[in-house]
């Protein structure tokens, strides 16, 4: 355990700037906040979506719709993993029909989480379009899915892991790359 | 955190942590029934058998809807339409079902212990949907969810259960569940319908309804099981009504904002009067809504964990 090295990729300031940039890109591409709904994927995506919403509200004077999605029940490995993950509530307090949904997550890796999230959103209605915003795109996709907005694109090996730490959950704002032990 | 068991046979043997896990999970599931498409793919490809060998509308349809909202397939078997009429034993019925590759059995049976017997013989999870006068765990859990939802916390609440405690599996599950979460439970009813030594479960016994209601945060009214009163345990329905029926007037003796609950079906004008049953304090239909979420949580937590 102790042999694992952490390389810091983003500190608190850099993380803040990255989230700010993504919020501007969302506004630029969609020409404002009208019709946009941010949906964060639990756990960390939900907090990043909230921060994006705060910045957008500050710059545009209007807050985008904001929702939280728990994708546990849509996982493709639900019945093969040993222990059932705890299900948290999904909160989408608006009509998704005809909205531009921006899905928000911390790390994009295999794409399976996003696939699950897309299926979940379709059960709520028929959005006009769905876009994907991630803080870290680390490559190695297993499904044909790509990010519309990415804080950073990395190309790291499968022996490494990107950890996004968000103060609301982890007590600190930072992004690190960590090497996995042989045993992990 | 997980359930440390394959089957759900009763609340008596569950730990407080397990009860809380079920309630938390059920709370997350409630939202699914509010969606335009009330279905998630969690149990796709799983088959659940509802083996209901006693009459039931609420519990059976609730289990069926819970399974369907998780995308599981269901098969319903009732006594009147099954080979049990031809004399097949419970064990043979169950073994045959298992041979058809099912993933769980929900059983309601008139005999206490029938689900436990089945669980000892089958490899798939067995869920007790009510067994005689023993337990009705999912009803107990949905009562807990309803109380927690309305009152915030269960710890320290004064909960009164009124009626035929002896023959009530709901009362037993409620007592186990509520005590586990730290509520103070009282029971009230005719002395002939209160089991001896029930104090050993940590409840207080009252025979006078007015006294029992004082300061109650929650009042759970049980159905007077008229079909079980052949042994003349109450002199008459009229006397029961006079002494124990919950009316608006009696309810005003309880704490302000008290919750009125009933597991259904209600005998209006016997254990509960019309006005009280439909009053603002009544959360009887919330109980029914929460029942689906509880059963979804149980199916989710038990099925597919033990391959």
């Amino acid at each position: 355990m102790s042999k694992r090295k952490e390389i810091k990729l983003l500190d608190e300031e850099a993380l803040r700037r990255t989230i700010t940039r993504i919020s501007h890109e969302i506004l630029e591409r969609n020409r404002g906040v009208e019709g946009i709904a941010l949906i964060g994927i639990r756990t960390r995506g939900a907090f990043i979506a909230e921060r994006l919403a705060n910045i957008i509200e500050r710059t545009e004077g209007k807050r985008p719709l904001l929702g939280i999605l728990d994708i546990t029940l849509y996982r493709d490995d639900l019945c093969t993993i040993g222990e059932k993950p705890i299900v948290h509530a999904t909160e989408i307090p608006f009509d998704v029909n005809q909205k531009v949904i921006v899905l928000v997550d911390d790390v994009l890796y295999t794409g399976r989480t996003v696939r699950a999230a897309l299926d979940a959103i379709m059960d709520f209605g028929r959005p006009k379009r769905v876009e994907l915003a991630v803080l870290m795109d680390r490559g190695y996709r297993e499904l044909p899915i790509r990010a519309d907005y990415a804080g950073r694109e990395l190309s790291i090996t499968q022996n490494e892991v990107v950890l996004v730490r968000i103060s609301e959950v982890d007590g600190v704002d930072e992004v690190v790359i960590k090497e996995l032990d042989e045993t992990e | 955190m997980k359930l440390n068991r394959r089957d759900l046979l009763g609340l008596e043997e569950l730990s407080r942590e397990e009860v809380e896990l079920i309630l938390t999970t059920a709370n997350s599931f409630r939202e699914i029934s509010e969606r335009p498409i009330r279905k998630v793919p969690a149990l796709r490809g799983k088959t659940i058998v509802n083996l209901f060998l006693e009459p039931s509308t609420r519990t059976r349809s609730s289990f069926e809807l819970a399974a369907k909202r998780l995308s599981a397939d269901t098969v319903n078997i009732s006594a009147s339409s099954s080979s049990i009429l031809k004399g097949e034993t419970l064990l043979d019925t169950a073994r045959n079902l298992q041979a058809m590759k099912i993933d769980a059995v929900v059983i309601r049976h008139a005999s206490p212990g029938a689900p436990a017997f089945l669980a000892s013989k089958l490899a798939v999870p067995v869920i007790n949907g009510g067994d005689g006068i023993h337990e009705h765990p999912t009803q107990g859990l949905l009562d807990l969810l309803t109380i927690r939802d309305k009152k915030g916390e269960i710890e320290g609440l004064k909960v009164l259960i009124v009626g035929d405690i002896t023959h009530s599996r709901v009362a037993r599950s409620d007592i186990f569940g509520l005590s586990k979460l730290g509520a103070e439970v009282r029971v009230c009813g005719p002395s002939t319908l209160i089991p001896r030594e029930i104090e050993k479960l940590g409840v207080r016994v009252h025979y006078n309804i007015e006294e029992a209601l004082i300061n109650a945060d929650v009042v759970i009214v049980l159905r007077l099981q008229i079909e079980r009163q052949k042994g003349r345990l109450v002199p008459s329905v009229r006397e029961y009504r006079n002494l124990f029926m919950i009316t608006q007037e009696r309810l005003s003796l309880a704490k302000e904002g008290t919750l009125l609950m009933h597991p259904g079906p209600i005998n209006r004008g016997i254990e509960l009067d019309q006005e009280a049953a439909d009053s603002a304090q009544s959360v009887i239909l919330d109980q029914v809504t929460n029942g689906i979420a509880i059963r979804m949580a149980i199916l989710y937590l038990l099925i597919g964990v033990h391959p």
Side-chain angles (χ1 to χ4, degrees):
Chain A
M1 291 285 279
S2 57
K3 273 190 286 180
R4 285 183 295 180
K5 276 185 298 186
E6 280 193 11
I7 303 160
K8 191 180 280 195
L9 218 57
L10 300 180
D11 61 11
E12 192 185 334
E13 274 299 289
L15 185 70
R16 185 182 57 76
R17 287 192 201 104
T18 304
I19 293 178
T20 306
R21 175 169 58 76
I22 294 174
S23 73
H24 291 313
E25 286 177 5
I26 292 172
L27 287 171
E28 187 184 9
R29 184 193 288 216
N30 290 292
R31 296 176 189 154
V33 68
E34 216 48 57
I36 293 186
L38 305 178
I39 296 183
I41 301 175
R42 279 192 196 275
T43 307
R44 287 171 187 77
F47 293 106
I48 298 169
E50 196 181 338
R51 290 185 189 189
L52 286 168
N54 292 342
I55 299 168
I56 289 174
E57 185 177 14
R58 245 179 284 143
T59 46
E60 295 289 301
K62 188 179 175 208
R63 197 172 172 77
L65 297 167
L66 183 61
I68 300 175
L69 194 61
D70 182 290
I71 56 104
T72 308
L73 300 169
Y74 290 81
R75 284 173 64 150
D76 55 10
D77 57 355
L78 198 54
C79 284
T80 55
I81 45 181
E83 193 175 311
K84 291 291 178 73
I86 293 182
V87 181
H88 297 281
T90 288
E91 297 161 23
I92 299 186
F94 49 82
D95 179 10
V96 305
N97 285 297
Q98 290 310 312
K99 298 281 181 336
V100 174
I101 304 289
V102 182
L103 266 181
V104 182
D105 205 0
D106 53 353
V107 179
L108 177 58
Y109 184 16
T110 61
R112 288 179 191 268
T113 300
V114 176
R115 193 284 307 163
L118 287 170
D119 278 357
I121 285 175
M122 299 308 163
D123 283 353
F124 283 88
R126 187 174 189 278
K128 185 174 165 196
R129 184 165 72 241
V130 182
E131 300 178 345
L132 175 62
V134 297
L135 220 44
M136 293 292 137
D137 178 352
R138 58 159 294 174
Y140 202 78
R141 218 75 76 232
E142 293 170 1
L143 294 170
I145 278 169
R146 55 153 180 77
D148 299 276
Y149 315 97
R152 289 278 177 91
E153 286 175 23
L154 309 168
S155 135
I156 58 173
T157 69
Q158 282 181 273
N159 299 325
E160 295 166 307
V161 58
V162 194
L163 297 174
V164 173
R165 298 197 175 114
I166 293 287
S167 59
E168 290 92 325
V169 192
D170 311 292
V172 60
D173 272 355
E174 63 179 12
V175 179
V176 300
I177 296 183
K178 202 170 178 178
E179 243 175 86
L180 293 174
D181 270 352
E182 299 281 305
T183 51
E184 281 182 284
Chain B
M1 208 168 27
K2 60 173 179 170
L3 286 189
N4 297 312
R5 57 199 68 250
R6 187 193 61 195
D7 311 293
L8 179 71
L9 303 177
L11 295 192
E12 184 175 12
E13 57 266 28
L14 291 189
S15 69
R16 180 177 181 145
E17 290 68 34
E18 287 176 294
V19 172
E20 279 170 354
L21 170 65
I22 297 167
L23 296 182
T24 307
T25 307
N27 198 45
S28 302
F29 278 122
R30 291 203 292 188
E31 162 269 332
I32 294 167
S33 296
E34 307 293 329
R35 295 183 188 182
I37 297 177
R38 296 182 198 90
K39 213 177 185 58
V40 293
L43 295 183
R44 207 156 49 111
K46 303 288 177 187
T47 310
I48 298 163
V49 172
N50 290 324
L51 188 55
F52 275 67
L53 305 178
E54 245 194 1
S56 164
T57 315
R58 220 171 326 272
T59 307
R60 192 189 53 72
S61 48
S62 182
F63 265 112
E64 190 174 352
L65 286 172
K68 287 183 166 159
R69 287 181 188 174
L70 292 170
S71 301
D73 297 308
T74 56
V75 177
N76 293 313
I77 300 168
S78 59
S80 58
S81 64
S82 70
S83 303
I84 288 155
L85 276 188
K86 300 181 189 167
E88 187 173 58
T89 65
L90 178 60
L91 182 56
D92 280 336
T93 305
R95 279 183 178 150
N96 277 280
L97 291 170
Q98 185 160 281
M100 295 181 198
K101 307 297 174 199
I102 57 159
D103 299 285
V105 179
V106 180
I107 177 174
R108 163 163 294 189
H109 201 285
S111 301
F117 167 74
L118 214 54
S120 71
K121 304 290 181 191
L122 296 187
V124 298
V126 174
I127 297 161
N128 182 359
D131 59 336
I133 60 168
H134 173 228
E135 277 221 49
H136 191 352
T138 55
Q139 178 72 42
L141 289 163
L142 73 87
D143 287 349
L144 294 176
L145 182 64
T146 307
I147 297 171
R148 205 182 66 165
D149 183 42
K150 299 286 177 191
K151 292 285 179 190
E153 236 207 307
I154 288 177
E155 181 95 48
L157 290 181
K158 295 177 176 60
V159 182
L160 169 65
I161 306 175
V162 187
D164 179 355
I165 308 294
T166 302
H167 299 103
S168 175
R169 53 193 173 213
V170 176
R172 293 174 62 86
S173 290
D174 277 343
I175 290 169
F176 291 129
L178 287 163
S179 315
K180 233 157 247 188
L181 296 190
E184 191 186 295
V185 184
R186 313 164 178 174
V187 298
C188 179
S191 57
T192 45
L193 296 179
I194 295 197
R196 270 197 289 174
E197 305 199 13
I198 192 168
E199 294 90 345
K200 288 189 175 162
L201 296 181
V203 305
R204 273 180 62 180
V205 179
H206 290 268
Y207 299 106
N208 177 300
I209 189 66
E210 278 81 14
E211 275 170 28
L213 278 163
I214 291 169
N215 272 329
D217 296 283
V218 179
V219 180
I220 300 174
V221 184
L222 300 174
R223 190 170 70 89
L224 185 68
Q225 303 184 38
I226 301 161
E227 69 274 17
R228 291 199 215 257
Q229 305 308 334
K230 301 255 166 65
R232 294 269 175 211
L233 291 169
V234 286
S236 72
V237 167
R238 207 172 113 188
E239 184 186 293
Y240 183 86
R241 177 192 296 150
N242 289 340
L243 292 176
F244 295 102
M245 181 169 75
I246 297 297
T247 59
Q248 277 294 60
E249 196 189 335
R250 282 186 170 146
L251 212 50
S252 66
L253 297 169
K255 203 175 274 180
E256 206 182 324
T258 184
L259 298 182
L260 176 66
M261 300 171 61
H262 191 296
I266 307 172
N267 295 310
R268 284 178 184 259
I270 296 178
E271 70 263 6
L272 190 56
D273 85 342
Q274 193 82 3
E275 207 191 349
D278 301 326
S279 69
Q281 283 150 296
S282 161
V283 293
I284 295 170
L285 293 175
D286 299 81
Q287 290 175 270
V288 178
T289 307
N290 286 334
I292 294 185
I294 282 290
R295 290 169 182 123
M296 287 171 82
I298 292 296
L299 295 173
Y300 167 74
L301 291 167
L302 290 180
I303 292 177
V305 182
H306 305 270

